[in-house]
């Protein structure tokens, strides 16, 4: 499996893009503004979008993706998410007011887009690739993902805060190689982080003590204007692991 980071920022501007990752050539993990960096030929190869949750920075380019490619494809784009997330997309995005309902265009029999619900812990198998939604704790229903090639696994937590169920699931993964985990705020904004369901360095340090594996750990969702401060605080608090900042265009092969 090959995962390319298209966007991993907590905002936009100055070449920062919000969360989107391309797995091999045909799967998106979230569809934030980073999707807009792809060429049309690359967009046409995408058959699946796996969505962690319904917040705009993670779904913003699903409408543009299906609108741009729908008529050029011979099969629907499949959007995989929790039922609550799919309901939010149907009610608030693809509702004919914000955007057309592409699950019924050109008709309900041959739509440009199809919704596919999943449950936490349910593994979706696509060829030799196994994608498993993991527990997350956020301001809205949310998941992370385990991406398992058979040889190794990468875990992306999505947006989350302290969550014992997540660590229990991660610690059961015997072939964990990479962990991508968020820290959306610096310590000074710990109150905002707690209320919005995000990590901050002090809390992240406590939670990483629950990880029982050695893995390469990358920090994502750093916000514009405080990314450097947040990373400094993380590195000052955590010495057990070699932590690095996730960057756009970074590639993981596993």
């Amino acid at each position: 499996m090959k995962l390319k980071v298209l966007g991993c920022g907590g905002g936009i501007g100055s070449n920062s893009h919000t969360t989107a990752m391309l797995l091999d050539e045909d799967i998106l993990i979230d569809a934030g503004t980073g999707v807009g960096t792809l060429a049309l030929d690359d967009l046409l190869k995408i058959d699946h979008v796996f969505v962690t949750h319904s917040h705009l920075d993670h779904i913003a380019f699903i409408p543009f993706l299906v609108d741009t490619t729908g008529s050029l494809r011979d099969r629907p784009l499949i959007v995989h998410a929790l039922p609550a997330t799919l309901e939010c997309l149907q009610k608030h995005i693809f509702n004919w007011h914000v955007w057309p309902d592409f699950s019924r265009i050109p008709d309900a029999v041959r739509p440009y887009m199809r919704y596919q619900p999943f449950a936490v812990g349910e593994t979706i198998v696509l060829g030799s690739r196994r994608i498993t939604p993991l527990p997350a704790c956020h301001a809205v229903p949310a998941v992370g993902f385990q991406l398992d090639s058979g040889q190794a696994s990468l875990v992306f937590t999505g947006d989350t805060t302290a969550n014992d169920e997540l660590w229990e699931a991660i610690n059961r993964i015997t072939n964990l190689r990479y962990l991508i985990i968020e820290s959306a705020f610096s310590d000074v904004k710990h109150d905002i982080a707690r209320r919005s369901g995000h990590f901050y360095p002090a809390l992240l340090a406590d939670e990483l003590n629950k990880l029982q594996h050695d893995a390469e750990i990358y920090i994502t969702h750093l916000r514009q204007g405080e990314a450097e401060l947040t990373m400094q605080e993380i590195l000052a608090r955590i010495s057990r692991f070699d932590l690095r900042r996730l960057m756009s265009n970074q590639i993981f092969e596993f």
Side-chain angles (χ1 to χ4, degrees):
M1 297 171 86
K2 180 178 179 180
L3 185 75
K4 181 178 181 179
V5 179
L6 305 177
C8 57
I12 61 172
S14 300
N15 294 317
S16 178
H17 301 282
T18 67
T19 303
M21 293 178 279
L22 183 64
L23 181 61
D24 297 329
E25 295 183 327
D26 58 329
I27 301 171
L28 280 177
I29 306 297
D30 278 340
T33 62
V35 177
T37 64
L38 293 174
L40 177 59
D41 286 346
D42 296 322
L43 295 175
L44 288 169
K45 296 174 184 176
I46 296 170
D47 293 326
H48 304 269
V49 182
F50 283 79
V51 183
T52 58
H53 65 292
S54 60
H55 282 163
L56 194 61
D57 54 330
H58 295 255
I59 62 134
F61 267 60
I62 298 176
F64 297 114
L65 174 61
V66 67
D67 187 29
T68 300
T69 65
S71 64
L72 303 175
R73 295 168 49 86
D74 58 6
R75 57 193 178 277
L77 176 73
I78 303 176
V79 179
H80 305 257
L82 289 170
T85 302
L86 296 179
E87 181 181 7
C88 187
L89 290 173
Q90 289 173 299
K91 283 186 175 181
H92 303 298
I93 303 294
F94 296 101
N95 59 7
W96 295 105
H97 296 283
V98 174
W99 210 247
D101 181 0
F102 283 103
S103 69
R104 296 183 175 275
I105 296 175
D107 55 57
V109 177
R110 296 168 298 171
Y112 289 164
M113 180 178 71
R114 182 164 63 82
Y115 299 111
Q116 183 65 50
F118 58 56
V120 172
E122 173 191 350
T123 298
I124 297 93
V125 180
L126 298 172
S128 61
R129 303 165 299 184
R130 299 169 61 86
I131 301 175
T132 304
L134 301 177
C137 181
H138 194 41
V140 296
V143 297
F145 291 113
Q146 175 192 358
L147 312 178
D148 186 357
S149 69
Q151 297 181 359
S153 285
L154 179 149
V155 165
F156 169 50
T157 66
D159 288 9
T160 191
T161 185
N163 179 5
D164 284 343
E165 291 183 359
L166 171 64
W167 298 112
E168 291 169 5
I170 292 175
N171 287 331
R172 289 194 294 267
I173 299 171
T174 58
N175 63 353
L176 181 67
R177 183 176 298 173
Y178 302 110
L179 171 62
I180 299 175
I181 190 167
E182 67 123 286
S183 186
F185 294 94
S186 60
D187 279 338
V188 72
K189 294 183 178 178
H190 65 275
D191 185 55
I192 297 174
R194 284 188 178 275
R195 287 190 284 118
S196 59
H198 285 286
F199 277 125
Y200 56 94
L203 181 59
L204 179 61
D206 288 342
E207 289 293 294
L208 279 175
N209 286 327
K210 301 173 183 177
L211 178 61
Q212 298 173 4
H213 296 298
D214 290 325
E216 292 185 32
I217 301 177
Y218 293 84
I219 308 301
T220 189
H221 215 295
L222 297 165
R223 296 181 65 82
Q224 297 283 69
E226 58 183 87
E228 290 76 14
L229 171 61
T230 304
M231 280 304 303
Q232 289 172 8
E233 291 176 340
I234 290 171
L235 294 174
R237 288 184 175 276
I238 302 171
S239 58
R240 175 185 163 197
F241 299 102
D242 180 18
L243 295 103
R244 308 168 198 175
R245 178 178 177 179
L246 190 68
M247 304 298 290
S248 291
N249 298 314
Q250 192 165 352
I251 293 174
F252 297 88
E253 296 192 51
F254 53 100

